[in-house]
Amino acid sequence: MASSWWRWRRCCSWRPPARSPGSGSPGRAGLSGLRAATAAAAAARAQMSYFNLVKSLTSAFPNMYSISRFHHMTPAVCCCSKTRSGEKYTDPFNLGWRDLKGLYEDIRKELFISTTELKEMCEYYFDGKGKAFRPIIVVLMARACNIHHNNSRNVQASQRAIALIAEMIHTASLVHDDVIDDASSRRGKHTVNKIWGEKKAVLAGDLILSAASIALARIGNTAVVSILTQVIEDLVRGEFLQLGSKENENERFAHYLEKTFKKTASLIANSCKAVSVLGCPDPVVHEIAYQYGKNVGLAFQLIDDVLDFTSCSDRMGKPTSADLKLGLATGPVLFACQQFPEMNAMIMRRFSSPGDVDRARQYVLQSDGVQQTTYLAQRYCREAVREISKLRPSPERDALIQLSEIVLTRDK
């Protein structure tokens, strides 16, 4: 075990901190001999804490990690940077939009509402200004699976419907999340709850979910209905996980990853699985699609958590440091906590004391928390590429490989 730990240490850029700044002045240099000795002891403790953290990752995701394999990739070199089929590279979004023309218009048709105010609320985010990241993945996965199965290059109407349903479920969850978080801005404009009030926002989110459920029922495939209803259950369970926390440091990261899967990755994973079920009878392909979506979804949220510390509000279209203000300890915070153990108390009180948010942000930016969260996202993307590469070569499969790199390099 010790040899595995040191093999991992040689592969990873993380180093125990030479010092742990005091709560009043993070980053002050010039330690005395006594303080240096204290810092060395703290470094040894941090090293062991980090070892325990990696053990918790290993136990939480046994098929994903072994300590000797948990290492980062150099940001300048990504395994996702080349397509594999030999065909000319096409931008994934341009390729996916071929099957998504009229996406938001079709969604608005699903939201057939006679009441003017409710119609405005439900259509508020379906204005064509979103990234449509989930629908793009879904139609690319549909084509990739169809080509793998019988070389069909057409997307079935039912598969395209899954793309619409995925976007509707996602948007409904955003409306509800904004109510829970009392958020004031989303995608660069005021949230539904700030314009129309919390009660009406909850009802609007419910109506979007009901419209998605009706569209799902029309597909008429009970396996697909079961797959996508799991997403709604996961969204609720993920929100409950977010409301709680773990006192044990080693359980805290596993708790965070489980919450991240349920709130973000489950929708992408199960939507990918749904279109694979509709296009191919092979359970092996269903699992490939699911694992790709799961790993890309986890990486997507990890990078989102990084951007909460590194991007600006104008770029993100929503306030930064929002998670800290909500009392949430995300990946960068949990990694930083291994270098600055004094953050544990702040995490347990959910950054509620005066100055906690600013001090925690300083600790994160002084630590390797941002880098380590990015390296973890890269690890998930590598796993996604490994899975999708099992399918027959096609432009759509290669576009999914490229999307995993886009996830890592996005800045909003």
Side-chain angles (χ1 to χ4, degrees):
M1 183 66 75
S3 62
S4 296
W5 162 246
W6 287 111
R7 282 199 301 274
W8 178 81
R9 289 275 287 123
R10 285 198 297 271
C11 292
C12 182
S13 69
W14 183 86
R15 295 293 182 271
R19 55 185 174 77
S20 177
S23 59
S25 177
R28 186 174 296 173
L31 291 171
S32 65
L34 178 61
R35 291 184 67 196
T38 303
R45 288 194 301 271
Q47 184 181 34
M48 184 54 66
S49 296
Y50 206 77
F51 174 62
N52 290 334
L53 172 61
V54 178
K55 282 207 302 183
S56 77
L57 284 173
T58 307
S59 61
F61 292 86
N63 297 325
M64 187 71 182
Y65 295 103
S66 66
I67 292 176
S68 62
R69 291 172 60 209
F70 186 74
H71 60 86
H72 79 268
M73 302 185 307
T74 304
V77 180
C78 179
C79 66
C80 319
S81 60
K82 294 181 180 179
T83 55
R84 314 289 181 84
S85 68
E87 299 188 38
K88 186 177 179 180
Y89 167 75
T90 303
D91 176 76
F93 288 90
N94 288 339
L95 192 60
W97 271 113
R98 293 184 309 176
D99 299 307
L100 293 175
K101 292 177 181 178
L103 168 70
Y104 293 107
E105 181 181 348
D106 291 342
I107 290 176
R108 288 193 291 270
K109 288 177 183 177
E110 295 288 345
L111 298 167
F112 184 74
I113 306 164
S114 57
T115 307
T116 302
E117 184 180 41
L118 191 55
K119 181 179 176 67
E120 289 177 359
M121 293 167 63
C122 291
E123 294 182 353
Y124 185 66
Y125 288 129
F126 299 120
D127 56 3
K129 296 180 181 178
K131 294 185 287 288
F133 177 73
R134 289 154 189 83
I136 291 289
I137 285 185
V138 170
V139 293
L140 290 175
M141 181 62 73
R143 279 184 176 269
C145 291
N146 295 351
I147 291 170
H148 178 83
H149 173 52
N150 58 10
N151 208 30
S152 170
R153 293 185 176 269
N154 296 320
V155 172
Q156 301 172 23
S158 58
Q159 290 175 315
R160 185 180 183 276
I162 297 296
L164 274 68
I165 292 165
E167 185 70 358
M168 293 168 75
I169 293 174
H170 170 60
T171 303
S173 74
L174 296 184
V175 173
H176 285 158
D177 279 357
D178 288 343
V179 173
I180 293 170
D181 299 340
D182 193 28
S184 59
S185 63
R186 166 83 62 181
R187 296 179 179 174
K189 58 184 183 179
H190 293 304
T191 55
V192 172
N193 50 292
K194 286 301 176 185
I195 298 174
W196 288 281
E198 292 184 356
K199 293 180 180 179
K200 290 181 178 179
V202 170
L203 295 173
D206 290 346
L207 188 59
I208 296 170
L209 274 180
S210 70
S213 299
I214 293 170
L216 178 58
R218 278 204 305 269
I219 292 174
N221 186 304
T222 55
V224 169
V225 170
S226 178
I227 289 167
L228 285 182
T229 51
Q230 180 64 49
V231 172
I232 298 175
E233 178 184 335
D234 284 343
L235 285 169
V236 175
R237 291 185 180 276
E239 196 62 49
F240 269 93
L241 285 170
Q242 183 164 287
L243 293 173
S245 60
K246 293 288 185 180
E247 290 190 25
N248 186 294
E249 294 177 45
N250 297 327
E251 295 177 359
R252 203 177 282 154
F253 212 104
H255 181 90
Y256 162 69
L257 289 177
E258 184 183 3
K259 181 270 296 182
T260 299
F261 169 76
K262 290 186 182 302
K263 286 201 63 176
T264 303
S266 174
L267 174 58
I268 300 174
N270 284 295
S271 298
C272 286
K273 182 177 181 179
V275 292
S276 74
V277 168
L278 290 168
C280 175
D282 187 353
V284 174
V285 174
H286 306 164
E287 185 64 15
I288 289 170
Y290 178 87
Q291 291 297 331
Y292 173 86
K294 169 188 169 182
N295 285 287
V296 165
L298 286 166
F300 184 92
Q301 186 57 50
L302 287 168
I303 295 300
D304 211 57
D305 294 342
V306 164
L307 292 174
D308 197 43
F309 288 94
T310 62
S311 190
C312 64
S313 299
D314 290 342
R315 188 69 180 162
M316 290 289 286
K318 57 185 178 181
T320 54
S321 297
D323 291 327
L324 287 176
K325 294 169 186 174
L326 291 170
L328 305 178
T330 56
V333 173
L334 296 176
F335 276 115
C337 188
Q338 306 308 310
Q339 292 175 263
F340 300 120
E342 52 267 46
M343 294 181 71
N344 277 306
M346 288 189 278
I347 291 173
M348 291 312 301
R349 63 178 178 258
R350 300 180 75 89
F351 312 104
S352 59
S353 294
D356 275 359
V357 169
D358 290 337
R359 190 157 65 249
R361 181 177 175 83
Q362 287 179 324
Y363 280 132
V364 168
L365 296 178
Q366 287 191 342
S367 73
D368 288 335
V370 165
Q371 296 94 317
Q372 291 302 327
T373 306
T374 303
Y375 300 153
L376 182 56
Q378 289 173 333
R379 179 66 185 87
Y380 280 119
C381 280
R382 290 178 67 186
E383 186 68 12
V385 170
R386 190 182 70 83
E387 289 290 339
I388 201 65
S389 296
K390 297 174 183 177
L391 296 184
R392 178 184 297 180
S394 67
E396 287 76 15
R397 187 202 69 167
D398 292 343
L400 290 168
I401 292 173
Q402 292 291 336
L403 266 180
S404 66
E405 183 169 0
I406 291 171
V407 164
L408 294 173
T409 55
R410 68 190 182 96
D411 58 0
K412 64 177 181 179

